[in-house]
Structure formats: C-alpha cells, structure tokens
C-alpha cells in the first residue's frame, strides 16, 4: 500500500469519526430552568379555584341580562318534576347583579378560608351544600328559590363548627375569625325579610354543620 492509499484511508476514517461524534456537551455555566415551589403552586391554585367556580353564575347572569332581559332563570320548584333540574342549576341563577354580588363576596371569602385548611374539606362541603341543599330544598322548601346563598351558608356553617370540633390551632382560629367578623350572617336564617329565602339559608347552615362532622377526624389521625 503506497502513501497515497494510506493517506486516503486515514482521511476516510477521520471523516467517519467526525460524523459519529456526539454533540458538544452543554457548557457548565448553563443553569436548569427554575420551577415554582410546590407551596406557591398550591396557594395559587387555592386562590383561583373559587374564582373559576363563581365565574359560572356570573356567566349565566351576564347572558341572562344581555340576551334575555333577566327572564332566563333556573329556579328550584319544590316537589315537582319540572323542579328537579333546579337541584343542580338553581345555585347558578340569580335575580340580578345585586343578588349575585352579595353571594359572590361571601362565597369567595368562605371558600378561601376553608381552602386555607383543606382542599378535601372544601370539595366535600361544597358538594354537600350544592347538591344536598338542592335536594333538601326540593323536598322541604315552601316555595321556588334560586341563588348561591344556600351554598354560602353551608360554607358558613362548616367554618363556625370545624374549629370547635377539631380543637387545633388553625381551624380554631378560622372559626373564631368567622364568628367575630361574620356572625351577622346568623340573622339571615330568620324570617326577617319577606323577599329572602331564609329557610334555604337555614337548610344550608345545618348542612354545613353536617359536613363539618362528616370530615372531622380525631386528633392524631391523618387528614
């Protein structure tokens, strides 16, 4: 083999080695992309969850007022077949923006307070108030009703009760805070205003206490 052949083979081998070489390593100065801390993500999720939920009745009310002039209502009619859909839908229907704003404020505040303690407790209490409240109102209610206030009173009942049941620092502080700052909600459970479905508030409040007893766990057990 002469020098020309040897040089040609060496060049061919060098080309093959260059083709098969792995890509250059990333410089050591590159830093991995930072990811949010888990507690930050959880806090953000808890803050936005009630906002997403209350957006449903707001969308319904906006559509109702803009397209139907306030005539698209979804009330619950007690003890009637046509009232059964109201068990699921009456909570997202309101008589106007003033009615909806009042319920929105209580719903957001009480939701955030429960989520500060437990997302599990929140979902259970919310479903008890929404569906359980609808069933009870359909069975026992004296007249047609709609609005989110029954659910708000379920959250309120839970918050007042859970601290005294668990007797732990965080739940007890939350219950005391609600008692001191929102005890006036109690007056909404009495027939003091003719246009207010006080009985729906009372049903919701009782269901909130039931929910608190349902989720309550003795100290030492994992929640």
């Amino acid at each position: 083999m002469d020098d020309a052949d040897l040089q040609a083979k060496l060049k061919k081998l060098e080309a093959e080695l260059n083709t098969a070489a792995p890509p250059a390593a990333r410089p050591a100065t590159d830093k991995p992309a930072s990811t949010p801390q888990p507690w930050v993500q959880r806090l953000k999720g808890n803050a936005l969850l009630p906002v997403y939920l209350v957006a449903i009745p707001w969308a319904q009310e906006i559509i109702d007022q803009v397209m139907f002039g306030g005539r698209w209502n979804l009330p619950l009619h007690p003890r009637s077949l046509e009232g059964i859909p109201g068990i699921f839908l009456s909570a997202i229907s309101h008589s106007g923006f003033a009615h909806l704003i009042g319920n929105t404020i209580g719903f957001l505040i009480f939701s955030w307070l429960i989520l500060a303690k437990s997302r599990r407790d929140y979902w259970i209490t919310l479903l008890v108030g929404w569906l359980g409240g609808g069933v009870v109102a359909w069975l026992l209610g004296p007249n047609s009703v709609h609005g989110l206030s029954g659910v708000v009173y379920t959250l309120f009942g839970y918050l007042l009760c859970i601290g005294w049941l668990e007797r732990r620092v965080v739940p007890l502080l939350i219950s005391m805070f609600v008692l001191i700052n929102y005890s006036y909600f109690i007056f909404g459970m009495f027939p003091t205003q003719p246009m207010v479905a006080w009985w729906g508030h009372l049903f919701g409040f009782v269901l909130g206490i039931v929910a608190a007893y349902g989720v309550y766990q003795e100290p030492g057990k994992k929640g």
Side-chain angles (χ1 to χ4, degrees), residues 207-220:
L207 287 172
I209 295 175
V210 171
Y213 273 94
V215 302
Y216 163 67
Q217 293 185 347
E218 294 179 4

Side-chain angles (χ1 to χ4, degrees), residues 182-197:
Y182 300 99
S183 57
Y184 61 87
F185 269 73
I186 294 173
F187 296 103
M189 295 183 285
F190 297 96
T192 56
Q193 300 181 42
M195 299 301 294
V196 175

Side-chain angles (χ1 to χ4, degrees), residues 45-63 89-94 96-112 115 122-123 126 130 147-149 151-152 155:
N46 287 345
L48 292 177
L49 175 58
V51 177
Y52 294 148
L53 293 175
V54 86
I56 299 172
W58 271 94
Q60 192 277 337
E61 187 63 31
I62 291 172
I63 294 173
L89 300 175
S90 62
I92 68 172
S93 174
H94 292 77
F97 285 112
H99 185 200
L100 178 56
I101 290 171
N103 284 337
T104 297
I105 294 172
F107 179 81
L108 289 176
I109 292 173
F110 294 159
S111 293
W112 287 327
L115 286 167
Y122 178 67
W123 279 117
L126 181 67
W130 196 298
L148 197 59
S149 57
V151 177
V152 172
L155 305 179

Side-chain angles (χ1 to χ4, degrees), residues 18-34:
N18 290 335
T19 303
R26 181 178 294 180
T29 54
D30 287 358
K31 295 182 180 180
S34 59

